[in-house]
Amino acid sequence: MSDAPGVRVMGIINVTPDSFSDGGRCNSAESSLTQAKLMIGEGADILDIGGESTRPFAEPVELFQELDRVIPAIKAIRKESTIPISIDTSKAEVARQALASGADVINDITALRKDPEMVRLAADTDVPLILMHMQGSPGDMQVEPHYEDVVAEIIDFFQERLSFLDAHSISRERIIVDPGIGFGKSLQHNLTILKNLDAFSVLGCPVLLGHSRKRFIGDVTGLPVEQRDLPTAVISALAARQGVAYIRVHDVASTRTALTIESALS
């Protein structure tokens, strides 16, 4: 997956009732499949399926609830398409069943820190792993986040994670890093990360950016969530200029258009 040329667009499909942007839109296998077909038609390279909201102050979801949400959606999409599917979860059992149902990638916002079984699952498979930086947890991450040097501290975090994976015989070639825009970061932290995305190249791993429709865009522009696809696309193009390999977005069409223009001007 990570060897494909150019920037790859990851379409977000939240099979949840309470995600900050599109909660309830894809609350069944049928609606998830409809959204998947739309995104594929718009140029998505990969789909990211999640069954637990990670918005600030979100309540945790029980294992059975998350499985009931994501497994039917993955099976429905896989029956109709061969597009790579990422499972957005921090629970090893959800990841295990998702892979068995046709998912190809594990996307863990806790960077394999929450569930010890996730490390064992990662070691027993050869699928790509997306590791995200987060200060705190969704329940408290936006309560006065603090850094002395946000970019340097995120790089240090990933270097520790990579060393941890080395110790568990998990190849670095499988790793994609996500600096975690909006996860335990203030407006200024987010802007600093976006200005310095090329700094993460020191890690030697592809970088994924998940900025779509997030609060910092509203803080800068004054736009409500439903009107943030245009600035999301602008940031996507600017991120491509800094070497980001994956762009995770809700609206595939606008970001694909922005990336096409960026590529033509490169």
Side-chain angles (χ1 to χ4, degrees):
M1 187 183 85
S2 59
D3 293 332
V7 181
R8 314 299 283 174
V9 177
M10 173 185 281
I12 301 168
I13 298 180
N14 290 315
V15 195
T16 60
D18 58 346
S19 290
F20 82 97
S21 172
D22 55 356
R25 182 175 181 181
C26 297
N27 59 0
S28 68
E30 292 76 15
S31 57
S32 296
L33 177 58
T34 298
Q35 183 68 5
K37 289 180 177 179
L38 173 65
M39 289 180 163
I40 293 168
E42 292 175 342
D45 299 294
I46 178 173
L47 301 176
D48 191 47
I49 313 295
E52 179 175 29
S53 175
T54 53
R55 61 181 172 79
F57 311 112
E59 292 294 326
V61 171
E62 295 292 335
L63 172 63
F64 77 91
Q65 291 177 300
E66 193 171 347
L67 288 169
D68 285 347
R69 292 172 180 177
V70 301
I71 300 304
I74 292 170
K75 288 181 176 179
I77 294 168
R78 180 53 70 234
K79 185 177 180 180
E80 298 287 334
S81 174
T82 60
I83 190 170
I85 295 174
S86 169
I87 176 63
D88 180 0
T89 187
S90 58
K91 297 182 180 73
E93 185 58 28
V94 173
R96 181 179 294 108
Q97 293 196 34
L99 294 177
S101 299
D104 309 278
V105 182
I106 297 172
N107 180 10
D108 184 354
I109 66 166
T110 72
L112 277 63
R113 293 179 297 162
K114 181 179 179 180
D115 186 344
E117 290 299 319
M118 191 71 92
V119 180
R120 298 184 182 93
L121 176 63
D124 289 342
T125 65
D126 59 359
V127 300
L129 306 170
I130 302 170
L131 307 183
M132 193 191 78
H133 174 272
M134 173 172 52
Q135 187 178 89
S137 67
D140 61 17
M141 63 188 179
Q142 290 307 109
V143 181
E144 299 183 4
H146 175 77
Y147 302 85
E148 295 298 326
D149 184 330
V150 64
V151 173
E153 290 176 46
I154 293 173
I155 290 172
D156 287 346
F157 168 85
F158 283 127
Q159 288 175 332
E160 181 278 326
R161 288 285 83 195
L162 291 171
S163 295
F164 173 82
L165 296 180
D166 287 342
H168 288 81
S169 301
I170 299 171
S171 171
R172 295 191 180 201
E173 294 181 358
R174 297 167 54 191
I175 307 305
I176 299 165
V177 297
D178 175 356
I181 293 291
F183 285 83
K185 281 93 175 176
S186 67
L187 170 61
Q188 193 55 53
H189 295 146
N190 290 321
L191 295 178
T192 298
I193 292 167
L194 292 172
K195 293 174 186 176
N196 295 277
L197 288 169
D198 54 353
F200 297 104
S201 64
V202 70
L203 296 166
C205 299
V207 176
L208 180 148
L209 185 66
H211 58 295
S212 183
R213 299 179 181 172
K214 288 191 174 175
R215 177 178 174 177
F216 81 95
I217 296 176
D219 291 339
V220 171
T221 65
L223 294 172
V225 170
E226 63 272 13
Q227 295 178 22
R228 295 176 189 168
D229 287 332
L230 175 56
T232 293
V234 172
I235 295 168
S236 298
L238 294 172
R241 283 290 172 104
Q242 294 193 66
V244 167
Y246 296 91
I247 303 288
R248 183 179 181 273
V249 294
H250 298 86
D251 184 62
V252 170
S254 60
T255 282
R256 178 58 70 193
T257 298
L259 292 175
T260 298
I261 297 296
E262 186 281 326
S263 178
L265 294 175
S266 296

